[in-house]
Amino acid sequence: MKRNYYLVGLILLIFFVISFLTNIIGPLVPEIIEDFDLSLTLVAVLPFAFFIAYGAMSIPAGLLIEFYSEKKIMVSAFLVAFGGALLFGLFPNYLIAIISLFLIGTGMAMLQVAINPLLREAGGEENFAFNSQLGQLFFGLASFLSPLVYSYLVINLDSGVTEGILLSTLAAVVPGELPWISLYWIFALVSLVMVVVILLSRFPEVERREDEKVGIFETLELLKQPMVWMFFLGIFCYVGSEQGVANWISEFLSTYHGYDPQTTGASTVSWFWGMMTAGTVLGLLLLKVMDSRRVLISFTAGALLCLTLALFGSGEIALYAFPAIGFLIAVMWPVIFSLALNSVRENHGSFSGILVTGIVGGAVVPLIVGSLGDVLGLRSGMFFLYLTFGYILSIGFWADPLVTNKTIEFSGREKKGKGKGRGKQGKEAHVS
């Protein structure tokens, strides 16, 4: 089909919006603790509610996509996210926050499942890897900007500055004592705008290859393999580590070094995501010249070192060490995911659904950190991250892919793999 660059641009915008709505929880943690008078465990339930939706919806969304068009799924996803954001904007309390974040997480999980096959169809299979990485850059850019938007809104609304249509409108609907609720009105508006944009856009018909489909039988067969569970745990530990750091940066800096969450805390979280974007670019270059397992080992060892500096160093060191962790973890998701898919010859759609379900680690690990933090202190609670990063480090030693540094896509016929194969099995893979 003719390349649809408008649709590619729309998908990149959706990557941006997903990230903007997903990674704002961390900067809000100190505000939520203070305004709702919560323990670390109770505040950790909020990201738990968001990321548990990924675990609940990833595979069902993959099955729904077989019966309904991408356009319908994407419109439904943004309507669910709009409802969740509006609900919390209207009724800002702790219980509603849990329900709201679960709804927003559900919408984001549905979008993640829908947009990747659509990106392949709209941008061309030969450009899929490049466009996917471009999507990750947009994802990182939004994560960098969202804490800055939070600081802008909260500082101005808190000080009574209401110049301009945006601030004056938000001041009229947001409780004066809870200026950070303004973000959820922004989320609702953005979600509604995306519904309109998608409805007005023309979508091609996507023909899914057998390898991209999520089948119940295939999924159950894969779950019988220990290797599948080991890679699932790898994704679980990665997302748990990412969110376990990002969600607690601002609170850690406030608790142990006295930094203002609205300014320094939000800025440090912003740089955490910004440095992750930079790390993605470096990772792409290194993966051209190094085995992905060696890259994973090197970067994970560096992340462990920076975590140690962040937890035990001075406040000034922590301001640099936390963003450095973001830089170093940038390669983990793509490397673990590719090593996993490159370890099987077929059923990659079902395997991908299982791996994406591992995003639930972003729910569980921050909750464990918060629970331990209530008992032992936040610094001691974050020791749990040594276990999750340690498991990621181990993957670099035990992973044994059929093809190295390539993505296997089963075609139903034998094609010679361009990567380093393991015996004759390497003949059944080709590079996307």
Side-chain angles (χ1 to χ4, degrees), residues 129-171:
F130 175 82
N131 288 333
S132 296
Q133 192 58 47
L134 193 60
Q136 291 303 309
L137 292 177
F138 272 73
F139 194 93
L141 178 62
S143 298
F144 174 74
L145 292 176
S146 57
L148 302 181
V149 173
Y150 153 75
S151 291
Y152 169 79
L153 293 176
V154 170
I155 291 173
N156 281 283
L157 291 174
D158 206 24
S159 61
V161 177
T162 57
E163 297 178 357
I165 297 177
L166 177 63
L167 291 175
S168 60
T169 302
L170 290 174

Side-chain angles (χ1 to χ4, degrees), residues 82 102 218 316 402 404:
F82 167 75
F102 180 82
E218 291 80 2
E316 185 175 355
L402 303 176
T404 59

Side-chain angles (χ1 to χ4, degrees), residues 87-110:
L87 183 66
F88 190 46
L90 292 172
F91 307 102
N93 62 67
Y94 178 67
L95 179 59
I96 295 298
I98 294 174
I99 298 172
S100 169
L101 286 169
F102 180 82
L103 291 174
I104 295 174
T106 297
M108 298 305 100
M110 295 168 66

Side-chain angles (χ1 to χ4, degrees), residues 364-376:
V364 176
V365 174
L367 182 61
I368 292 174
V369 171
S371 299
L372 292 173
D374 277 332
V375 178
L376 305 172

Side-chain angles (χ1 to χ4, degrees), residues 22 33 36 66 84 93 98 101 139 151 163 178 188 220-221 275 285 335 356 383 414:
T22 297
I33 290 175
F36 290 161
E66 300 295 329
N93 62 67
I98 294 174
L101 286 169
F139 194 93
S151 291
E163 297 178 357
L178 301 173
L220 293 175
E221 285 298 310
M275 291 299 290
L285 298 175
V335 169
V356 170
F383 285 0
E414 289 192 353

Side-chain angles (χ1 to χ4, degrees), residues 24 30 43 47 132 143 175 192 207 213 218 224 226 237 246 255 285-286 290 296 308 338 370 407 417 419:
I24 193 59
V43 77
S132 296
S143 298
L192 193 58
E207 295 184 6
K213 295 180 180 179
E218 291 80 2
K224 296 177 182 178
C237 286
T255 300
L285 298 175
L286 289 177
M290 291 177 63
L296 183 64
T308 302
S338 63
T407 300

